[in-house]
Amino acid sequence: MKQVIAVIRSTHLDQVKDALVNVGIVGMTVSNARGFGRQKGQSQKYRGQTYKVDFLEKIRLEVAVADNQVDLVVQTITDAARTGEIGDGKIFILPVEAAYRIRTGERDDVALSSNVED
Ligand SMILES: Nc1ncnc2c1ncn2[C@@H]1O[C@H](COP(=O)(O)OP(=O)(O)OP(=O)(O)O)[C@@H](O)[C@H]1O
Ligand SMILES: [Mg+2]
């Protein structure tokens, strides 16, 4: 299992969410985030020497999936979040050691699957 963490533009959250649901993703967590990338959040020069680093408002989206879903999720997020302009965001992939569905005690791939039975 892997955790896919995407930092994306808030303007693109709904279309990223819809695209992921359309490829069968059944759970995700979203939070407001602040961050900067290599432009340092619209860096501004002061007296030609120092510069200020600003945080920009972003959305952090997390999806835990089986290994064989990772490529699809990355491609889906990329397609839905991309404008081609700076600041489109980043995607990180982390290993997940275990996952549990609290209600049933199911774990791992079963805990992440959509097999709704009630
Ligand atoms: N190395 C990083 N670690 C953690 N978060 C990051 C990292 N790089 C970027 N982010 C997060 O992603 C957001 C968007 O980054 P951004 O898309 O500007 O990346 P970039 O590397 O500057 O690429 P681009 O040149 O396309 O702007 C940042 O505001 C920050 O929240
Ligand atoms: Mg940037």
Tab-separated table of all heavy atoms in Angstrom, residues 36-62:
chain	number	residue	atom	x	y	z
A	36	PHE	N	5.305	26.635	0.048
A	36	PHE	CA	5.967	27.290	-1.082
A	36	PHE	C	6.813	26.284	-1.817
A	36	PHE	O	7.221	25.259	-1.265
A	36	PHE	CB	6.798	28.506	-0.651
A	36	PHE	CG	7.911	28.190	0.307
A	36	PHE	CD1	9.154	27.768	-0.155
A	36	PHE	CD2	7.714	28.315	1.668
A	36	PHE	CE1	10.181	27.474	0.730
A	36	PHE	CE2	8.746	28.016	2.569
A	36	PHE	CZ	9.973	27.601	2.097
A	37	GLY	N	7.049	26.562	-3.077
A	37	GLY	CA	7.925	25.751	-3.904
A	37	GLY	C	9.147	26.549	-4.297
A	37	GLY	O	9.583	27.431	-3.560
A	38	ARG	N	9.657	26.256	-5.468
A	38	ARG	CA	10.960	26.836	-5.811
A	38	ARG	C	10.907	28.311	-6.161
A	38	ARG	O	11.934	28.963	-6.213
A	38	ARG	CB	11.626	26.037	-6.927
A	38	ARG	CG	10.829	25.963	-8.199
A	38	ARG	CD	11.545	25.070	-9.178
A	38	ARG	NE	10.727	24.879	-10.367
A	38	ARG	CZ	11.111	24.232	-11.432
A	38	ARG	NH1	12.315	23.695	-11.461
A	38	ARG	NH2	10.326	24.101	-12.468
A	39	GLN	N	9.683	28.852	-6.401
A	39	GLN	CA	9.595	30.310	-6.572
A	39	GLN	C	9.460	31.018	-5.230
A	39	GLN	O	9.256	32.229	-5.170
A	39	GLN	CB	8.407	30.680	-7.474
A	39	GLN	CG	8.546	30.273	-8.923
A	39	GLN	CD	8.157	28.823	-9.154
A	39	GLN	OE1	7.501	28.213	-8.331
A	39	GLN	NE2	8.585	28.272	-10.285
A	40	LYS	N	9.529	30.231	-4.166
A	40	LYS	CA	9.471	30.767	-2.800
A	40	LYS	C	8.196	31.560	-2.566
A	40	LYS	O	8.187	32.557	-1.869
A	40	LYS	CB	10.696	31.628	-2.488
A	40	LYS	CG	12.023	30.873	-2.636
A	40	LYS	CD	13.194	31.722	-2.203
A	40	LYS	CE	14.499	30.937	-2.181
A	40	LYS	NZ	15.028	30.655	-3.510
A	41	GLY	N	7.124	31.129	-3.148
A	41	GLY	CA	5.842	31.795	-2.929
A	41	GLY	C	5.846	33.219	-3.433
A	41	GLY	O	5.585	34.142	-2.664
A	42	GLN	N	6.152	33.405	-4.707
A	42	GLN	CA	6.213	34.733	-5.340
A	42	GLN	C	7.252	35.592	-4.644
A	42	GLN	O	6.899	36.588	-4.005
A	42	GLN	CB	4.859	35.452	-5.271
A	42	GLN	CG	3.727	34.666	-5.872
A	42	GLN	CD	2.377	35.260	-5.530
A	42	GLN	OE1	2.181	35.907	-4.492
A	42	GLN	NE2	1.417	35.043	-6.410
A	43	SER	N	8.489	35.185	-4.714
A	43	SER	CA	9.547	35.947	-4.039
A	43	SER	C	9.629	37.362	-4.598
A	43	SER	O	9.410	37.604	-5.776
A	43	SER	CB	10.895	35.255	-4.205
A	43	SER	OG	11.306	35.337	-5.548
A	44	GLN	N	9.917	38.285	-3.700
A	44	GLN	CA	10.030	39.682	-4.073
A	44	GLN	C	11.395	40.177	-3.650
A	44	GLN	O	11.867	39.849	-2.564
A	44	GLN	CB	8.981	40.496	-3.313
A	44	GLN	CG	7.888	41.047	-4.201
A	44	GLN	CD	6.942	41.889	-3.382
A	44	GLN	OE1	6.437	41.472	-2.358
A	44	GLN	NE2	6.741	43.100	-3.832
A	45	LYS	N	12.022	40.963	-4.486
A	45	LYS	CA	13.357	41.443	-4.125
A	45	LYS	C	13.275	42.755	-3.354
A	45	LYS	O	12.479	43.617	-3.666
A	45	LYS	CB	14.196	41.632	-5.383
A	45	LYS	CG	14.476	40.325	-6.068
A	45	LYS	CD	15.784	40.370	-6.840
A	45	LYS	CE	16.153	38.936	-7.199
A	45	LYS	NZ	17.103	38.805	-8.263
A	46	TYR	N	14.084	42.835	-2.333
A	46	TYR	CA	14.182	44.060	-1.544
A	46	TYR	C	15.619	44.524	-1.575
A	46	TYR	O	16.528	43.789	-1.213
A	46	TYR	CB	13.766	43.813	-0.091
A	46	TYR	CG	12.316	43.460	0.048
A	46	TYR	CD1	11.902	42.153	0.235
A	46	TYR	CD2	11.350	44.458	-0.041
A	46	TYR	CE1	10.568	41.840	0.364
A	46	TYR	CE2	10.014	44.152	0.082
A	46	TYR	CZ	9.628	42.834	0.284
A	46	TYR	OH	8.308	42.519	0.402
A	47	ARG	N	15.839	45.741	-1.995
A	47	ARG	CA	17.180	46.344	-2.089
A	47	ARG	C	18.149	45.438	-2.852
A	47	ARG	O	19.336	45.412	-2.588
A	47	ARG	CB	17.748	46.629	-0.694
A	47	ARG	CG	16.880	47.583	0.119
A	47	ARG	CD	17.573	47.980	1.416
A	47	ARG	NE	16.627	48.589	2.332
A	47	ARG	CZ	16.168	47.996	3.431
A	47	ARG	NH1	16.584	46.793	3.764
A	47	ARG	NH2	15.326	48.610	4.215
A	48	GLY	N	17.606	44.658	-3.757
A	48	GLY	CA	18.448	43.828	-4.603
A	48	GLY	C	19.202	42.732	-3.880
A	48	GLY	O	19.949	41.978	-4.483
A	49	GLN	N	19.019	42.609	-2.593
A	49	GLN	CA	19.798	41.639	-1.830
A	49	GLN	C	18.919	40.580	-1.171
A	49	GLN	O	18.994	39.420	-1.507
A	49	GLN	CB	20.601	42.379	-0.725
A	49	GLN	CG	21.907	42.980	-1.238
A	49	GLN	CD	22.955	41.919	-1.484
A	49	GLN	OE1	22.817	40.792	-1.038
A	49	GLN	NE2	24.008	42.263	-2.219
A	50	THR	N	18.120	41.029	-0.220
A	50	THR	CA	17.308	40.073	0.519
A	50	THR	C	16.007	39.832	-0.225
A	50	THR	O	15.621	40.603	-1.089
A	50	THR	CB	16.991	40.597	1.933
A	50	THR	OG1	16.361	41.859	1.792
A	50	THR	CG2	18.238	40.710	2.750
A	51	TYR	N	15.360	38.745	0.113
A	51	TYR	CA	14.063	38.467	-0.470
A	51	TYR	C	13.178	37.800	0.563
A	51	TYR	O	13.664	37.227	1.544
A	51	TYR	CB	14.192	37.594	-1.707
A	51	TYR	CG	14.918	36.304	-1.458
A	51	TYR	CD1	14.227	35.188	-0.998
A	51	TYR	CD2	16.289	36.206	-1.661
A	51	TYR	CE1	14.886	34.013	-0.751
A	51	TYR	CE2	16.961	35.032	-1.410
A	51	TYR	CZ	16.260	33.941	-0.960
A	51	TYR	OH	16.903	32.774	-0.698
A	52	LYS	N	11.928	37.933	0.317
A	52	LYS	CA	10.952	37.415	1.271
A	52	LYS	C	10.382	36.107	0.747
A	52	LYS	O	10.135	35.969	-0.441
A	52	LYS	CB	9.839	38.468	1.393
A	52	LYS	CG	8.891	38.265	2.526
A	52	LYS	CD	7.977	39.496	2.596
A	52	LYS	CE	6.664	39.102	3.236
A	52	LYS	NZ	5.591	40.006	2.858
A	53	VAL	N	10.182	35.143	1.607
A	53	VAL	CA	9.537	33.893	1.244
A	53	VAL	C	8.128	33.905	1.820
A	53	VAL	O	7.946	34.113	3.021
A	53	VAL	CB	10.307	32.678	1.794
A	53	VAL	CG1	9.575	31.390	1.462
A	53	VAL	CG2	11.710	32.655	1.213
A	54	ASP	N	7.138	33.755	0.964
A	54	ASP	CA	5.739	33.777	1.400
A	54	ASP	C	5.130	32.393	1.293
A	54	ASP	O	5.494	31.613	0.420
A	54	ASP	CB	4.918	34.730	0.524
A	54	ASP	CG	5.243	36.169	0.821
A	54	ASP	OD1	5.427	36.503	2.007
A	54	ASP	OD2	5.325	36.961	-0.136
A	55	PHE	N	4.189	32.126	2.164
A	55	PHE	CA	3.391	30.909	2.041
A	55	PHE	C	2.177	31.186	1.149
A	55	PHE	O	1.563	32.241	1.251
A	55	PHE	CB	2.899	30.436	3.413
A	55	PHE	CG	3.984	29.906	4.293
A	55	PHE	CD1	4.298	30.553	5.475
A	55	PHE	CD2	4.676	28.751	3.959
A	55	PHE	CE1	5.292	30.054	6.309
A	55	PHE	CE2	5.674	28.248	4.772
A	55	PHE	CZ	5.975	28.910	5.948
A	56	LEU	N	1.864	30.216	0.308
A	56	LEU	CA	0.661	30.286	-0.513
A	56	LEU	C	-0.344	29.256	-0.006
A	56	LEU	O	0.034	28.189	0.475
A	56	LEU	CB	0.998	29.979	-1.980
A	56	LEU	CG	1.971	30.937	-2.652
A	56	LEU	CD1	2.305	30.446	-4.055
A	56	LEU	CD2	1.382	32.334	-2.708
A	57	GLU	N	-1.607	29.603	-0.120
A	57	GLU	CA	-2.666	28.679	0.290
A	57	GLU	C	-2.773	27.554	-0.738
A	57	GLU	O	-2.859	27.806	-1.950
A	57	GLU	CB	-4.013	29.416	0.371
A	57	GLU	CG	-4.044	30.554	1.370
A	57	GLU	CD	-3.946	30.086	2.816
A	57	GLU	OE1	-4.393	28.960	3.105
A	57	GLU	OE2	-3.420	30.856	3.641
A	58	LYS	N	-2.719	26.335	-0.251
A	58	LYS	CA	-2.842	25.163	-1.120
A	58	LYS	C	-3.783	24.165	-0.465
A	58	LYS	O	-4.169	24.317	0.693
A	58	LYS	CB	-1.472	24.502	-1.332
A	58	LYS	CG	-0.453	25.365	-2.083
A	58	LYS	CD	-0.755	25.444	-3.560
A	58	LYS	CE	0.198	26.392	-4.269
A	58	LYS	NZ	-0.064	26.475	-5.705
A	59	ILE	N	-4.112	23.128	-1.195
A	59	ILE	CA	-4.882	22.013	-0.659
A	59	ILE	C	-3.973	20.795	-0.602
A	59	ILE	O	-3.254	20.506	-1.562
A	59	ILE	CB	-6.100	21.695	-1.557
A	59	ILE	CG1	-7.126	22.827	-1.508
A	59	ILE	CG2	-6.735	20.362	-1.152
A	59	ILE	CD1	-7.899	22.941	-0.212
A	60	ARG	N	-4.019	20.094	0.519
A	60	ARG	CA	-3.287	18.834	0.659
A	60	ARG	C	-4.303	17.699	0.621
A	60	ARG	O	-5.238	17.665	1.418
A	60	ARG	CB	-2.537	18.820	1.989
A	60	ARG	CG	-1.830	17.508	2.289
A	60	ARG	CD	-1.276	17.526	3.704
A	60	ARG	NE	-1.112	16.177	4.193
A	60	ARG	CZ	0.064	15.628	4.504
A	60	ARG	NH1	1.160	16.328	4.390
A	60	ARG	NH2	0.129	14.402	4.950
A	61	LEU	N	-4.112	16.813	-0.329
A	61	LEU	CA	-5.042	15.706	-0.522
A	61	LEU	C	-4.291	14.405	-0.296
A	61	LEU	O	-3.183	14.224	-0.807
A	61	LEU	CB	-5.590	15.799	-1.954
A	61	LEU	CG	-6.622	14.793	-2.433
A	61	LEU	CD1	-7.497	15.460	-3.481
A	61	LEU	CD2	-5.952	13.579	-3.042
A	62	GLU	N	-4.866	13.524	0.503
A	62	GLU	CA	-4.228	12.241	0.812
A	62	GLU	C	-5.134	11.100	0.388
A	62	GLU	O	-6.319	11.116	0.698
A	62	GLU	CB	-4.004	12.087	2.319
A	62	GLU	CG	-3.224	13.187	2.976
A	62	GLU	CD	-3.350	13.092	4.499
A	62	GLU	OE1	-3.327	11.983	5.040
A	62	GLU	OE2	-3.478	14.152	5.122
